[in-house]
Every structure is written in structure tokens, then in C-alpha cells.
Amino acid sequence: MDVVRRVFDSYEIIKIPEIKRVSINSATVAELASSVYLSWDVARGIAAYRDSVGGVTKWEELATIQGFPIDKIERIKLYLTL
């Protein structure tokens, strides 16, 4: 907590950035790939998966996609919606 206090003492948050969230079930491959955590190959895999099953309903489904960075799922959830 000491580190956090020192950071807040040294820096000021002027404006909270607006994060545009993209629907994983309707986004284009390009929109998915624009996320910092998803490569074009993973974005194509997501699109192929959702098209084959009729849509992603649980975040856990993404773990079945080859190359999906499951260790970053909590960060990815900030940019995507189901």
C-alpha cells in the first residue's frame, strides 16, 4: 500500500480513459484484432468458433481457441463483451 500512496502522491489522474468495448459475438475480425491482447490469428479463431456454435456465451469457451491468451482473460474482458 505504501507504493500505491506514493504513486498517487506523485501522479494525478486528469481524465479516466474511455474504453470502447466490442461485442465478441458481432465484431469483425479486424475489430477483435484491434484489441492489444488478440492477434489476427486468434481473432480469426474467435470468429470461426462463434460462427460455428452460434455465439460465445461463456468466457471459458475462449480457452478452446488455439493460441488464445487465457492468462490475460481478465484484461481482455475490459475490452470485449459477450
Side-chain angles (χ1 to χ4, degrees):
M1 284 308 282
D2 229 17
V3 173
V4 173
R5 267 189 230 109
R6 282 188 276 146
V7 168
F8 281 127
D9 289 343
S10 300
Y11 298 96
E12 179 182 354
I13 299 173
I14 297 170
K15 181 181 176 189
I16 297 174
E18 184 178 323
I19 298 174
K20 180 184 174 195
R21 297 177 77 194
V22 176
S23 171
I24 203 165
N25 289 310
S26 62
T28 65
V29 172
E31 289 172 319
L32 292 170
S34 71
S35 170
V36 69
Y37 298 104
L38 301 178
S39 68
W40 277 90
D41 289 337
V42 171
R44 281 192 289 270
I46 291 170
Y49 175 80
R50 69 153 191 239
D51 294 346
S52 70
V53 299
V56 178
T57 58
K58 297 179 197 166
W59 292 107
E60 294 79 19
E61 294 176 67
L62 299 175
T64 64
I65 297 167
Q66 184 176 2
F68 186 85
I70 196 67
D71 59 319
K72 294 180 175 64
I73 189 68
E74 292 305 316
R75 292 182 195 152
I76 292 169
K77 287 179 182 180
L78 296 172
Y79 300 95
L80 301 176
T81 62
L82 292 179

